[in-house]
Amino acid sequence: MSDQTTRPYGRRFAAAAMAGGGVLYGVANAFYWLMFPDQVSETAANVDVAASGLGAWRIETILFALTHLLLLPAMAGLIVAVGRRKRLGATIGGAFAVPALYFSTIHLWHYNAFFGALAGGGVKTEAVRPVVDALEKDALVVASFAVWILGWMVGLLVLAFAAWRAGLVSLWVPLVLAGGQVLDFVSSDVAPKLVVSALMTAGLIGLALGIRPRRVASAAATV
């Protein structure tokens, strides 16, 4: 079986993963803010937040875990597709986005599963505060958090704009993703967070449409 025949299947998988990850990203983010709308004053207080709706907390954790599992191969497919025409943009974007998704997965289980387990065991904020304070002062924890936040924002936007310059997507795709990322960074209320969910879902689906194999290319490969 030649590379011309197998390549479209990889792009279809990446496109499906990107679209699925985009939908799950929007659902998970909206679900979290609808179920837990009150902003906590300190990280340790997430124990009490999780205890207030432990089932919802664990559902949200699973949704984000599935999102990350889909976005990792989706980003790989996007990097390959962009790299054929804009190698520099693909390299820079991938160097930021891939480590960011890796550390976001670590953060997910450190943060969500950690507080969910403590809440399920009946641990209160006062008891967990010294542990959380120590973690937040640890250089490796702070660095991994920075790689996740900055890497995801920078990497995704570099890849999205590179995909536009490569002719894979229309300009609205990177602009919508940029709007979603910025709004997510500056907002903390439920309404704008729901807008973030809609923007990120639309942008990631737009990227999925850009990396899927074209019918003409598939027909040519078959011939």
Tab-separated table of all heavy atoms in Angstrom, residues 140-168:
chain	number	residue	atom	x	y	z
A	140	LEU	N	8.892	23.649	39.798
A	140	LEU	CA	8.487	22.750	38.725
A	140	LEU	C	6.984	22.839	38.462
A	140	LEU	O	6.543	22.795	37.314
A	140	LEU	CB	8.881	21.315	39.067
A	140	LEU	CG	10.378	21.003	39.047
A	140	LEU	CD1	10.630	19.565	39.493
A	140	LEU	CD2	10.960	21.240	37.659
A	141	VAL	N	6.208	22.954	39.513
A	141	VAL	CA	4.762	23.077	39.348
A	141	VAL	C	4.414	24.387	38.647
A	141	VAL	O	3.604	24.419	37.715
A	141	VAL	CB	4.048	22.993	40.712
A	141	VAL	CG1	2.558	23.277	40.553
A	141	VAL	CG2	4.256	21.624	41.339
A	142	VAL	N	5.051	25.473	39.076
A	142	VAL	CA	4.804	26.780	38.461
A	142	VAL	C	5.220	26.766	36.987
A	142	VAL	O	4.513	27.285	36.116
A	142	VAL	CB	5.561	27.883	39.225
A	142	VAL	CG1	5.447	29.219	38.489
A	142	VAL	CG2	5.015	28.016	40.637
A	143	ALA	N	6.364	26.139	36.707
A	143	ALA	CA	6.853	26.085	35.322
A	143	ALA	C	5.911	25.279	34.439
A	143	ALA	O	5.614	25.679	33.308
A	143	ALA	CB	8.253	25.484	35.286
A	144	SER	N	5.443	24.139	34.943
A	144	SER	CA	4.537	23.314	34.139
A	144	SER	C	3.225	24.038	33.881
A	144	SER	O	2.651	23.940	32.789
A	144	SER	CB	4.273	21.980	34.843
A	144	SER	OG	3.560	22.170	36.062
A	145	PHE	N	2.757	24.796	34.857
A	145	PHE	CA	1.528	25.571	34.677
A	145	PHE	C	1.727	26.649	33.620
A	145	PHE	O	0.861	26.884	32.772
A	145	PHE	CB	1.124	26.190	36.014
A	145	PHE	CG	-0.226	26.853	36.000
A	145	PHE	CD1	-1.385	26.100	36.097
A	145	PHE	CD2	-0.342	28.228	35.890
A	145	PHE	CE1	-2.631	26.691	36.079
A	145	PHE	CE2	-1.583	28.837	35.862
A	145	PHE	CZ	-2.737	28.068	35.965
A	146	ALA	N	2.892	27.317	33.647
A	146	ALA	CA	3.184	28.369	32.665
A	146	ALA	C	3.307	27.787	31.266
A	146	ALA	O	2.829	28.385	30.288
A	146	ALA	CB	4.475	29.096	33.058
A	147	VAL	N	3.952	26.617	31.147
A	147	VAL	CA	4.073	25.960	29.835
A	147	VAL	C	2.693	25.630	29.288
A	147	VAL	O	2.430	25.799	28.091
A	147	VAL	CB	4.932	24.687	29.950
A	147	VAL	CG1	4.853	23.867	28.666
A	147	VAL	CG2	6.385	25.054	30.244
A	148	TRP	N	1.805	25.177	30.144
A	148	TRP	CA	0.447	24.832	29.703
A	148	TRP	C	-0.298	26.080	29.216
A	148	TRP	O	-0.777	26.118	28.078
A	148	TRP	CB	-0.318	24.178	30.846
A	148	TRP	CG	-1.797	24.088	30.599
A	148	TRP	CD1	-2.413	23.791	29.412
A	148	TRP	CD2	-2.841	24.336	31.546
A	148	TRP	NE1	-3.787	23.822	29.567
A	148	TRP	CE2	-4.067	24.147	30.862
A	148	TRP	CE3	-2.863	24.663	32.882
A	148	TRP	CZ2	-5.291	24.301	31.492
A	148	TRP	CZ3	-4.085	24.808	33.519
A	148	TRP	CH2	-5.284	24.631	32.826
A	149	ILE	N	-0.379	27.106	30.053
A	149	ILE	CA	-1.184	28.283	29.724
A	149	ILE	C	-0.611	29.031	28.522
A	149	ILE	O	-1.306	29.283	27.520
A	149	ILE	CB	-1.287	29.220	30.934
A	149	ILE	CG1	-2.025	28.532	32.090
A	149	ILE	CG2	-2.010	30.514	30.536
A	149	ILE	CD1	-3.455	28.177	31.792
A	150	LEU	N	0.661	29.391	28.605
A	150	LEU	CA	1.272	30.175	27.527
A	150	LEU	C	1.473	29.336	26.265
A	150	LEU	O	1.264	29.821	25.152
A	150	LEU	CB	2.607	30.756	27.995
A	150	LEU	CG	2.515	31.777	29.144
A	150	LEU	CD1	3.919	32.226	29.559
A	150	LEU	CD2	1.669	32.973	28.748
A	151	GLY	N	1.884	28.086	26.451
A	151	GLY	CA	2.127	27.221	25.296
A	151	GLY	C	0.870	26.959	24.497
A	151	GLY	O	0.888	26.984	23.257
A	152	TRP	N	-0.240	26.726	25.167
A	152	TRP	CA	-1.491	26.455	24.462
A	152	TRP	C	-1.973	27.687	23.713
A	152	TRP	O	-2.370	27.615	22.549
A	152	TRP	CB	-2.559	25.973	25.438
A	152	TRP	CG	-3.914	25.793	24.871
A	152	TRP	CD1	-5.057	26.430	25.219
A	152	TRP	CD2	-4.297	24.882	23.818
A	152	TRP	NE1	-6.116	25.995	24.472
A	152	TRP	CE2	-5.693	25.048	23.602
A	152	TRP	CE3	-3.599	23.965	23.040
A	152	TRP	CZ2	-6.381	24.314	22.639
A	152	TRP	CZ3	-4.294	23.236	22.084
A	152	TRP	CH2	-5.662	23.408	21.890
A	153	MET	N	-1.893	28.848	24.361
A	153	MET	CA	-2.346	30.072	23.708
A	153	MET	C	-1.458	30.408	22.504
A	153	MET	O	-1.952	30.617	21.389
A	153	MET	CB	-2.344	31.238	24.695
A	153	MET	CG	-2.728	32.573	24.067
A	153	MET	SD	-2.791	33.939	25.247
A	153	MET	CE	-4.295	33.534	26.147
A	154	VAL	N	-0.141	30.446	22.728
A	154	VAL	CA	0.783	30.814	21.660
A	154	VAL	C	0.807	29.756	20.564
A	154	VAL	O	0.706	30.063	19.367
A	154	VAL	CB	2.202	31.045	22.231
A	154	VAL	CG1	3.201	31.275	21.097
A	154	VAL	CG2	2.211	32.217	23.191
A	155	GLY	N	0.937	28.499	20.963
A	155	GLY	CA	1.062	27.421	19.981
A	155	GLY	C	-0.150	27.290	19.092
A	155	GLY	O	-0.027	27.176	17.862
A	156	LEU	N	-1.344	27.322	19.687
A	156	LEU	CA	-2.565	27.171	18.893
A	156	LEU	C	-2.725	28.329	17.919
A	156	LEU	O	-3.072	28.124	16.747
A	156	LEU	CB	-3.779	27.084	19.816
A	156	LEU	CG	-5.135	26.945	19.119
A	156	LEU	CD1	-5.194	25.667	18.295
A	156	LEU	CD2	-6.277	26.977	20.135
A	157	LEU	N	-2.454	29.551	18.380
A	157	LEU	CA	-2.633	30.706	17.511
A	157	LEU	C	-1.593	30.735	16.386
A	157	LEU	O	-1.916	31.091	15.248
A	157	LEU	CB	-2.576	31.993	18.323
A	157	LEU	CG	-3.731	32.189	19.319
A	157	LEU	CD1	-3.636	33.536	20.007
A	157	LEU	CD2	-5.086	32.035	18.637
A	158	VAL	N	-0.350	30.374	16.693
A	158	VAL	CA	0.670	30.319	15.642
A	158	VAL	C	0.282	29.291	14.582
A	158	VAL	O	0.364	29.554	13.377
A	158	VAL	CB	2.050	29.982	16.242
A	158	VAL	CG1	3.057	29.658	15.132
A	158	VAL	CG2	2.568	31.152	17.067
A	159	LEU	N	-0.170	28.128	15.011
A	159	LEU	CA	-0.585	27.086	14.062
A	159	LEU	C	-1.807	27.524	13.264
A	159	LEU	O	-1.906	27.260	12.058
A	159	LEU	CB	-0.874	25.784	14.802
A	159	LEU	CG	0.335	25.004	15.306
A	159	LEU	CD1	-0.104	23.858	16.205
A	159	LEU	CD2	1.159	24.463	14.135
A	160	ALA	N	-2.760	28.189	13.938
A	160	ALA	CA	-3.978	28.617	13.251
A	160	ALA	C	-3.675	29.674	12.187
A	160	ALA	O	-4.170	29.592	11.056
A	160	ALA	CB	-4.984	29.156	14.265
A	161	PHE	N	-2.850	30.657	12.530
A	161	PHE	CA	-2.505	31.681	11.548
A	161	PHE	C	-1.613	31.114	10.443
A	161	PHE	O	-1.713	31.524	9.276
A	161	PHE	CB	-1.832	32.873	12.228
A	161	PHE	CG	-2.793	33.843	12.842
A	161	PHE	CD1	-3.041	33.825	14.211
A	161	PHE	CD2	-3.477	34.753	12.053
A	161	PHE	CE1	-3.941	34.709	14.780
A	161	PHE	CE2	-4.383	35.652	12.619
A	161	PHE	CZ	-4.618	35.626	13.995
A	162	ALA	N	-0.745	30.155	10.791
A	162	ALA	CA	0.068	29.499	9.769
A	162	ALA	C	-0.816	28.686	8.824
A	162	ALA	O	-0.562	28.629	7.611
A	162	ALA	CB	1.115	28.595	10.422
A	163	ALA	N	-1.864	28.062	9.361
A	163	ALA	CA	-2.802	27.319	8.517
A	163	ALA	C	-3.523	28.264	7.560
A	163	ALA	O	-3.791	27.914	6.406
A	163	ALA	CB	-3.812	26.575	9.385
A	164	TRP	N	-3.839	29.466	8.042
A	164	TRP	CA	-4.459	30.466	7.154
A	164	TRP	C	-3.489	30.895	6.060
A	164	TRP	O	-3.851	30.945	4.884
A	164	TRP	CB	-4.909	31.669	7.977
A	164	TRP	CG	-5.230	32.863	7.145
A	164	TRP	CD1	-6.174	32.965	6.165
A	164	TRP	CD2	-4.572	34.142	7.194
A	164	TRP	NE1	-6.168	34.221	5.605
A	164	TRP	CE2	-5.191	34.959	6.217
A	164	TRP	CE3	-3.550	34.665	7.972
A	164	TRP	CZ2	-4.799	36.279	6.001
A	164	TRP	CZ3	-3.166	35.976	7.761
A	164	TRP	CH2	-3.773	36.770	6.789
A	165	ARG	N	-2.232	31.181	6.436
A	165	ARG	CA	-1.240	31.586	5.445
A	165	ARG	C	-0.948	30.465	4.449
A	165	ARG	O	-0.598	30.722	3.286
A	165	ARG	CB	0.056	32.002	6.148
A	165	ARG	CG	-0.038	33.266	6.969
A	165	ARG	CD	-0.344	34.480	6.117
A	165	ARG	NE	0.649	34.652	5.058
A	165	ARG	CZ	1.791	35.298	5.199
A	165	ARG	NH1	2.090	35.858	6.369
A	165	ARG	NH2	2.633	35.416	4.196
A	166	ALA	N	-1.121	29.217	4.901
A	166	ALA	CA	-0.894	28.079	4.013
A	166	ALA	C	-2.090	27.797	3.109
A	166	ALA	O	-2.030	26.910	2.253
A	166	ALA	CB	-0.577	26.829	4.836
A	167	GLY	N	-3.179	28.539	3.295
A	167	GLY	CA	-4.355	28.347	2.466
A	167	GLY	C	-5.248	27.197	2.902
A	167	GLY	O	-6.140	26.790	2.153
A	168	LEU	N	-5.042	26.704	4.121
A	168	LEU	CA	-5.858	25.585	4.589
A	168	LEU	C	-7.187	26.040	5.172
A	168	LEU	O	-8.180	25.314	5.105
A	168	LEU	CB	-5.082	24.784	5.647
A	168	LEU	CG	-3.797	24.103	5.183
A	168	LEU	CD1	-3.086	23.455	6.368
A	168	LEU	CD2	-4.094	23.062	4.117
